[in-house]
């Protein structure tokens, strides 16, 4: 078992550059990946008419492995810097890490 967790962020596209800058400057995050994804929900608040019709909204997904010991500080900074922005996050334990 590793002492890492996987922090996943889902963000509206206009926040992509701000989150890239934030992740690059946040202590404890040495690297991350990002990708364009589609979000699906039965809730329609905040969705454009096009998103409501298509049943999906475009999001940017960021994933970063961080030390579990630094998680609370990272989440505190995330809340301070992006409160009310529409960023959604979750955290999962990392069972193993490796490279081949």
């Amino acid at each position: 078992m590793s002492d890492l967790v996987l922090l996943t962020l889902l963000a509206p596209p206009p926040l992509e550059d701000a989150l890239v800058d934030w992740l690059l400057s946040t202590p404890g995050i040495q690297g991350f990946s990002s990708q364009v994804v589609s979000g699906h929900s039965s809730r329609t608040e905040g969705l454009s008419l096009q998103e409501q019709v298509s049943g999906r909204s475009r999001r940017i997904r960021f994933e970063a492995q961080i030390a579990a010991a630094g998680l609370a500080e990272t989440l505190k900074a995330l809340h301070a810097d992006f409160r009310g922005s529409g960023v959604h996050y979750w955290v999962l334990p990392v069972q193993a890490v490796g490279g081949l």
Side-chain angles (χ1 to χ4, degrees), residues 1-90:
M1 184 86 142
S2 79
D3 65 342
L4 297 173
V5 295
L6 181 67
L7 173 62
T8 302
L9 307 172
L10 283 183
L15 292 179
E16 181 175 11
D17 290 339
L19 274 166
V20 166
D21 291 343
W22 185 85
L23 288 161
L24 288 171
S25 66
T26 298
I29 297 179
Q30 296 180 352
F32 59 91
S33 60
S34 65
Q35 60 185 316
V36 176
V37 298
S38 293
H40 305 270
S41 175
S42 59
R43 295 179 19 210
T44 58
E45 306 88 50
L47 298 180
S48 70
L49 184 57
Q50 180 181 358
E51 290 171 332
Q52 291 177 38
V53 170
S54 69
R56 66 181 57 94
S57 61
R58 184 169 175 249
R59 293 287 180 256
I60 309 299
R61 180 179 177 147
F62 296 92
E63 292 183 322
Q65 293 176 17
I66 64 173
L71 177 62
E73 185 176 331
T74 300
L75 291 179
K76 182 178 177 182
L78 180 67
H79 281 268
D81 295 339
F82 291 96
R83 182 175 307 280
S85 66
V87 172
H88 181 78
Y89 73 89
W90 61 89

